C-alpha cells in the first residue's frame, strides 16, 4: 500500500529560510562548545516509521458538537461468555471490551539537547544570562535575561547571536519575541520597553523602536500580523499599540497607533489571526483580526480596512490570579474552514466561530464551552480538533475539542518552566504596574510556551523541550513495548473504526484506513500469541496452564472474528498455541 510522508511537521517550514545564506556564528569567538552529535529537529519530529501516512483532517461541524457521538459500540463478544471446568465451578470468561476507551500516549516529549546545551553554555561563556522567551517558525529563537537573542536552525546549531550584553544592560531582558510569516524578520521586545527588528538572513539590526508606547513599561507581547508591514505590541501598562513599518527615501521608520488604552481595563494578552499561505484568500483574512484579553473580557477587533471593534465577551466570575488565554485555529465547519477563537481565564474554555456568509455579513457565533477541573496557564491548538493546556500545577492536558474528552495528562515539572512574572510586574522599570496585573503575572508563561505546525516548544530555565503529536502507529507501538497487548488492540480497533481521537497519519479513505490498521492488528495478535506461548509453564497442573490462557485466548478469538479472519484463527494462531500436549489439553479444557 503506497504512502506519503507527513507534511505537517515543523520541518516543512525550512523551505521558508535559506540556511546556506545565514552568517554563522564563530563558536571560537564566543567559546561556545559544540554538542556531540546533537539530534536534529528533523530527526525528533520525524522519527522513522515503518509506514508514514499523511494526516487527513476530519470534517466535523463544530456548530453541532453536542450531537457528535463519542465512540460507543454495542457489539458484544462473539463467543460464549461462560465455560465449565473440571470442578464444575462457573467462571466468567473475559471478552473484548469494545466500549473501553484507550488513547495511549498521544504526545511525544523530547528534549532539544543541542539547544539546551547551547543555552547553558552561552550563559556560562558569554554572560548571555538565563533564558526568558522562545518563539519558533523556520528557526527557533531563545531570548535571554541579558538582552541576547540566540537563533538556532533545524539542526539545533547556533546560527546567529543577536544583540550584545551592552545592549542588554541598557534595554534589560528580552521579554517577547516574534517571527514574521516568511521567517525573514525577528522582533524583540525588552523589559525596559524598547523593540528591535532584525534581519534573520544576515543578523543585521534594521530598527530600534523606543517611542512606540509610554516609557517606563515593559513589552509583554510583540506580534507580527499576516501583513509584514504591521505588528502589534502590548505593554505592562495594559495598553495595545499597532506598529506600522515604513521605508521612506531609504529610511526605515515605525509609526505607532494606540489600539486600546490600559486605563479602560488592562490587556494581558494579544493574538492576531495568522493564516497559512493556502488560506491567504480566505474572506476573513482581509480584516486582519486581533484578539485582546483584558482582566475582565476579551475583545476582537479588525485592523483593516479601518479600525473596528467586532465584539466583546466577558469571562464572568473568575479567580483574580488566573491568566487570560487566547488561541486561534482554522477549523473545518460544515466542510468549510473558518477561524475559531478559544479563550479562557480560569477553568472554562470558550469558543467563538467567525464566519462570513454569502451576503458578506460577518457572524461571530458562540460555541459550546469546555469545562476543565484545573486553572489554565497556557492554551494551544495542536490541530483543528485537539487542544493542549498547561495547568497551574504544570501538568499538560490533551483534550479532544468535539467530544470534550481528556486524552492524556503529562507532568511537566521537570521542565522547570520559565515564568514572565518580572515583566508583568515591570521590575526593570521600577515596578509601576497595578496590583491586579502583578497578581496575574505570578503565573504568566506566555513567552515560554509556543506552538507551531502541530508542535509545542516549552522553555525551561536550563533546557528546551518539544511536544509532538504521535502518529497512530507510534501510539500503538508504545503500548506494545510495555506488553499491554489488549490495550494496543483496543486502541488499534478505534483507529480501524474511525472513533479514535487526535489521529495522525491515517488515510482519509475508510477502506484504506481499515486495511492498514487491520494489518497492524494481525501483527499484534501474532505477537500476543507468541509472547503467551513463550511464557506458558511447560509442566504443572492443567488448571495453572488453563489460567495462563484464560485471559488471552478469548481476546484473540474475538478480534479474529471482528476482523473476519477465521482462517488465521484456525490455522496459524491455533497451531502455534497447541505446540505441545500440555497447551493442547489446557486449551481443550477451556472450551469444554
Amino acid at each position: 500500500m503506497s504512502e506519503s510522508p507527513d507534511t505537517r511537521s515543523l520541518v516543512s517550514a525550512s523551505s521558508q529560510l535559506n540556511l546556506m545564506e545565514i552568517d554563522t556564528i564563530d563558536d571560537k569567538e564566543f567559546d561556545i562548545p559544540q554538542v556531540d552529535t546533537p539530534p536534529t529537529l528533523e530527526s525528533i519530529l520525524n522519527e522513522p516509521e515503518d509506514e508514514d501516512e499523511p494526516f487527513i483532517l476530519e470534517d466535523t461541524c463544530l456548530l453541532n458538537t453536542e450531537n457528535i457521538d463519542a465512540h460507543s459500540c454495542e457489539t458484544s463478544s462473539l463467543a460464549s461468555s461462560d465455560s465449565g471446568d473440571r470442578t464444575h465451578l462457573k467462571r466468567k470468561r473475559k471478552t473484548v471490551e469494545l466500549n473501553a476507551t484507550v488513547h495511549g500516549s498521544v504526545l511525544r516529549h523530547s528534549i532539544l539537547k543541542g539547544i539546551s546545551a547551547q543555552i547553558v553554555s552561552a550563559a556560562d561563556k558569554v554572560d548571555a544570562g538565563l533564558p526568558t522567551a522562545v518563539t519558533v517558525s523556520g528557526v527557533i529563537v531563545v531570548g535571554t535575561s541579558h538582552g541576547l537573542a540566540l537563533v538556532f536552525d533545524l539542526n539545533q546549531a547556533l546560527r546567529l547571536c543577536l544583540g550584545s550584553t551592552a545592549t542588554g544592560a541598557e534595554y534589560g531582558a528580552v521579554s517577547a519575541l516574534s517571527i514574521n510569516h516568511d521567517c525573514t524578520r525577528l522582533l524583540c521586545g525588552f523589559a525596559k520597553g524598547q523593540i528591535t527588528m532584525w534581519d534573520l538572513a544576515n543578523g543585521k539590526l534594521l530598527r530600534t523602536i523606543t517611542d512606540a508606547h509610554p516609557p517606563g513599561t515593559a513589552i509583554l507581547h510583540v506580534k507580527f500580523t499576516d501583513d509584514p508591514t504591521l505588528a502589534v505590541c502590548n505593554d505592562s501598562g495594559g495598553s495595545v499599540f499597532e506598529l506600522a513599518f515604513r521605508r521612506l527615501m531609504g529610511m526605515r521608520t515605525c509609526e505607532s497607533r494606540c489600539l486600546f488604552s490600559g486605563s479602560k481595563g488592562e490587556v494581558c494578552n494579544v493574538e492576531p489571526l495568522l493564516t497559512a499561505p493556502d488560506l491567504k484568500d480566505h474572506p476573513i483574512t482581509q480584516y486582519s483580526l486581533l484578539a485582546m484579553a483584558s482582566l475582565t473580557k476579551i475583545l476582537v477587533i479588525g485592523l483593516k480596512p479601518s479600525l473596528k471593534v467586532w465584539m466583546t465577551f466577558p469571562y464572568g466570575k473568575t479567580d483574580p490570579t488566573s491568566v487570560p488565554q487566547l488561541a486561534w485555529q482554522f477549523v473545518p465547519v460544515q466542510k468549510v474552514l473558518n477561524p475559531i477563537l478559544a479563550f479562557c481565564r480560569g477553568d472554562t474554555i470558550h469558543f467563538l466561530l467567525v464566519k462570513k456568509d454569502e451576503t458578506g455579513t460577518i457572524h461571530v457565533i458562540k460555541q459550546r464551552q469546555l469545562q476543565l477541573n484545573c486553572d489554565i496557564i497556557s492554551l494551544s491548538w495542536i490541530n483543528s480538533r485537539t487542544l493542549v493546556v498547561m495547568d497551574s500545577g504544570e501538568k499538560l492536558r490533551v483534550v479532544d475539542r468535539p467530544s470534550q474528552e481528556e486524552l492524556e495528562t503529562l507532568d511537566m515539572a521537570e521542565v522547570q518552566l520559565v515564568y514572565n512574572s518580572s515583566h508583568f510586574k515591570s521590575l526593570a522599570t521600577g515596578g509601576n504596574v497595578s496590583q491586579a496585573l502583578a497578581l496575574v503575572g505570578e503565573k504568566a508563561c506566555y513567552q515560554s510556551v509556543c506552538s507551531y505546525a502541530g508542535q509545542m516548544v516549552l522553555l525551561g530555565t536550563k533546557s528546551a523541550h518539544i511536544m509532538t503529536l504521535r502518529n497512530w502507529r507510534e501510539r500503538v507501538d508504545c503500548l506494545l513495548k510495555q506488553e499491554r497487548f489488549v490495550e494496543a488492540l483496543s486502541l488499534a480497533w478505534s483507529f480501524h473504526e474511525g472513533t479514535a481521537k487526535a489521529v495522525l497519519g491515517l488515510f482519509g479513505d475508510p477502506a484504506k484506513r481499515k486495511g492498514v490498521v487491520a494489518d497492524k492488528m494481525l501483527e499484534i495478535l501474532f505477537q500476543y500469541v507468541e509472547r503467551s506461548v513463550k511464557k506458558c509453564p511447560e509442566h504443572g497442573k492443567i488448571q495453572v496452564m488453563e489460567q495462563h490462557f484464560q485471559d488471552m485466548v478469548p481476546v484473540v478469538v474475538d478480534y479474529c472474528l471482528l476482523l473476519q479472519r477465521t482462517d488465521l484463527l484456525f490455522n496459524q494462531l491455533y497451531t502455534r498455541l497447541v505446540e505441545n500436549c500440555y497447551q493442547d489439553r489446557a486449551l481443550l479444557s477451556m472450551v469444554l
Side-chain angles (χ1 to χ4, degrees):
M1 192 171 296
S2 61
E3 297 160 5
S4 59
D6 179 6
T7 59
R8 292 179 60 82
S9 73
L10 182 64
V11 180
S12 65
S14 60
S15 61
Q16 300 173 356
L17 184 63
N18 187 347
L19 299 178
M20 299 301 294
E21 296 180 0
I22 295 181
D23 292 339
T24 60
I25 292 295
D26 184 356
D27 287 344
K28 293 182 179 179
E29 176 186 351
F30 294 98
D31 196 21
I32 298 176
Q34 289 291 330
V35 180
D36 294 335
T37 59
T40 65
L41 283 180
E42 187 168 358
S43 68
I44 290 174
L45 301 180
N46 294 291
E47 291 181 355
E49 299 280 351
D50 294 335
E51 188 171 16
D52 285 335
E53 298 135 340
F55 172 42
I56 304 299
L57 293 176
E58 296 178 77
D59 288 337
T60 176
C61 178
L62 294 185
L63 291 174
N64 298 302
T65 51
E66 290 82 357
N67 298 323
I68 293 179
D69 186 22
H71 177 30
S72 175
C73 181
E74 297 179 356
T75 305
S76 60
S77 170
L78 300 179
S80 170
S81 61
D82 292 311
S83 63
D85 60 22
R86 297 183 181 185
T87 60
H88 305 287
L89 295 177
K90 289 288 183 178
R91 53 181 168 77
K92 187 79 172 181
R93 177 186 157 182
K94 186 172 181 178
T95 60
V96 174
E97 293 290 342
L98 294 180
N99 288 325
T101 301
V102 177
H103 302 297
S105 179
V106 179
L107 290 180
R108 182 198 312 133
H109 175 199
S110 303
I111 300 176
L112 300 177
K113 295 180 180 178
I115 293 177
S116 300
Q118 297 279 24
I119 289 172
V120 174
S121 192
D124 293 339
K125 303 298 183 181
V126 298
D127 196 27
L130 299 175
T132 56
V134 67
T135 190
V136 58
S137 184
V139 294
I140 287 185
V141 184
V142 177
T144 76
S145 59
H146 290 177
L148 301 180
L150 308 176
V151 182
F152 299 91
D153 66 15
L154 297 180
N155 294 319
Q156 300 189 59
L158 180 65
R159 292 305 185 192
L160 295 168
C161 182
L162 306 177
S164 65
T165 54
T167 303
E170 182 181 356
Y171 295 171
V174 173
S175 57
L177 294 165
S178 180
I179 301 172
N180 67 350
H181 73 283
D182 62 359
C183 204
T184 59
R185 298 288 186 268
L186 172 71
L187 284 173
C188 295
F190 291 88
K192 294 184 180 180
Q194 296 86 348
I195 299 172
T196 57
M197 177 187 284
W198 301 85
D199 188 326
L200 284 173
N202 54 31
K204 181 180 178 181
L205 177 63
L206 301 178
R207 287 180 174 87
T208 298
I209 306 165
T210 59
D211 56 357
H213 65 109
T217 55
I219 296 295
L220 301 182
H221 302 274
V222 60
K223 302 277 180 78
F224 275 109
T225 68
D226 277 339
D227 183 343
T229 68
L230 208 61
V232 294
C233 71
N234 172 208
D235 65 20
S236 59
S239 298
V240 181
F241 296 85
E242 177 188 81
L243 307 176
F245 306 119
R246 303 285 184 264
R247 190 166 184 175
L248 301 173
M249 301 186 66
M251 297 293 293
R252 289 187 171 91
T253 63
C254 176
E255 298 175 4
S256 174
R257 174 174 63 155
C258 183
L259 301 176
F260 188 88
S261 171
S263 61
K264 298 179 181 179
E266 293 148 312
V267 168
C268 309
N269 192 8
V270 294
E271 198 66 54
L273 173 63
L274 302 178
T275 56
D278 58 339
L279 291 174
K280 61 182 178 63
D281 295 326
H282 192 283
I284 297 297
T285 62
Q286 61 182 298
Y287 299 103
S288 193
L289 295 189
L290 174 68
M292 303 185 294
S294 76
L295 294 174
T296 58
K297 60 182 177 292
I298 68 108
L299 302 91
V300 177
I301 66 174
L303 302 179
K304 296 179 180 179
S306 59
L307 187 62
K308 179 182 178 181
V309 177
W310 280 37
M311 65 150 295
T312 62
F313 192 98
Y315 305 116
K317 187 176 181 180
T318 59
D319 184 337
T321 67
S322 295
V323 186
Q325 299 295 325
L326 298 166
W328 287 102
Q329 175 71 23
F330 277 87
V331 174
V333 178
Q334 297 176 338
K335 298 186 178 181
V336 177
L337 282 174
N338 280 306
I340 283 185
L341 175 66
F343 66 93
C344 67
R345 188 182 183 195
D347 62 357
T348 303
I349 304 176
H350 303 271
F351 300 91
L352 296 175
L353 168 70
V354 182
K355 61 181 296 187
K356 188 174 184 178
D357 65 19
E358 296 79 3
T359 66
T361 304
I362 302 297
H363 299 273
V364 180
I365 306 168
K366 182 182 177 183
Q367 308 288 284
R368 183 173 57 148
Q369 65 188 34
L370 172 60
Q371 184 82 31
L372 297 176
N373 295 320
C374 63
D375 183 24
I376 299 170
I377 63 172
S378 175
L379 171 65
S380 304
W381 295 85
I382 203 163
N383 64 29
S384 64
R385 295 175 60 95
T386 314
L387 290 157
V388 180
V389 304
M390 178 86 76
D391 66 25
S392 56
E394 296 189 351
K395 287 184 171 55
L396 208 61
R397 300 167 185 262
V398 186
V399 182
D400 179 66
R401 192 278 193 231
S403 68
Q404 303 201 348
E405 186 175 358
E406 192 168 311
L407 309 181
E408 184 178 20
T409 300
L410 299 171
D411 189 343
M412 305 308 295
E414 65 180 82
V415 172
Q416 297 182 341
L417 198 66
V418 170
Y419 287 87
N420 318 134
S421 305
S422 63
H423 310 316
F424 270 77
K425 296 177 181 180
S426 200
L427 297 183
T429 59
N432 52 335
V433 301
S434 72
Q435 184 178 359
L437 197 63
L439 193 61
V440 167
E442 292 290 342
K443 294 185 288 189
C445 57
Y446 294 115
Q447 303 302 325
S448 48
V449 181
C450 64
S451 60
Y452 178 78
Q455 290 89 32
M456 291 180 63
V457 174
L458 309 178
L459 184 65
T461 55
K462 295 182 179 180
S463 57
H465 303 248
I466 193 161
M467 311 299 297
T468 310
L469 197 64
R470 292 185 188 273
N471 181 282
W472 74 272
R473 186 182 298 277
E474 186 181 356
R475 285 166 64 180
V476 173
D477 287 341
C478 283
L479 293 172
L480 291 178
K481 289 176 183 178
Q482 303 171 54
E483 295 193 347
R484 295 161 63 183
F485 293 96
V486 176
E487 291 173 83
L489 286 165
S490 179
L491 177 60
W493 181 250
S494 69
F495 289 128
H496 185 277
E497 294 301 287
T499 57
K501 309 295 192 303
V503 182
L504 179 65
L506 281 177
F507 286 106
D509 180 72
K512 291 182 178 180
R513 181 190 70 225
K514 287 177 179 287
V516 170
V517 179
D519 289 344
K520 181 64 176 178
M521 292 184 70
L522 294 178
E523 176 188 323
I524 298 170
L525 288 171
F526 276 104
Q527 290 182 34
Y528 192 18
V529 170
E530 192 66 28
R531 177 254 197 184
S532 298
V533 169
K534 288 182 179 179
K535 292 195 173 184
C536 178
E538 295 183 0
H539 303 284
K541 294 182 179 180
I542 192 67
Q543 290 87 349
V544 175
M545 301 183 68
E546 180 184 343
Q547 183 64 42
H548 177 75
F549 289 105
Q550 187 172 319
D551 293 336
M552 181 272 294
V553 172
V555 173
V556 174
V557 170
D558 283 350
Y559 277 114
C560 282
L561 293 176
L562 287 170
L563 294 170
Q564 299 181 1
R565 293 303 304 268
T566 54
D567 56 321
L568 293 178
L569 175 63
F570 293 114
N571 292 305
Q572 293 100 312
L573 292 175
Y574 182 78
T575 301
R576 185 71 184 94
L577 282 170
V578 295
E579 283 190 335
N580 61 60
C581 61
Y582 294 105
Q583 294 177 11
D584 196 4
R585 288 173 60 196
L587 290 171
L588 285 174
S589 69
M590 291 179 59
V591 297
L592 289 177

